[in-house]
Amino acid sequence: MSQSPLATTNQAPSTAANLASDLKPPGQASAKVKPCCVCKEEKSARDECMLFSNSDDPQKDCEGMVDKYRSCMKGFGFTIQ
């Protein structure tokens, strides 16, 4: 008779102590943030301005919002072209 794959795993059982543990490795890998997860308010304001601008040139009209977003991203180490 063959055993089910669950019966042959060597993982520790889930307990209250290990369910809440941090799964990221310590060090630089856990400190690095993703660009999608920072400057959300600035990005939302920039996008709203660009999408709903009544100006003939939304890019010029929303330049301040774009600059705020760029400077925020730069603060996290990202460069926006």
Side-chain angles (χ1 to χ4, degrees):
M1 240 183 225
S2 68
Q3 293 181 346
S4 73
L6 294 176
T8 60
T9 61
N10 293 329
Q11 294 179 343
S14 296
T15 65
N18 66 10
L19 284 177
S21 66
D22 187 9
L23 300 177
K24 292 182 181 177
Q28 195 169 1
S30 63
K32 187 168 177 141
V33 295
K34 295 179 183 179
C36 63
C37 301
V38 295
C39 306
K40 289 184 176 187
E41 289 181 26
E42 291 84 352
K43 182 179 180 180
S44 178
R46 176 206 66 181
D47 292 349
E48 188 172 321
C49 183
M50 292 292 280
L51 291 172
F52 300 112
S53 174
N54 292 327
S55 174
D56 290 335
D57 188 4
Q59 194 169 11
K60 185 176 180 181
D61 190 41
C62 301
E63 190 172 3
M65 298 285 185
V66 173
D67 289 340
K68 279 185 181 180
Y69 178 67
R70 282 186 179 150
S71 72
C72 179
M73 293 296 284
K74 190 173 185 175
F76 285 96
F78 299 105
T79 304
I80 308 292
Q81 299 292 325

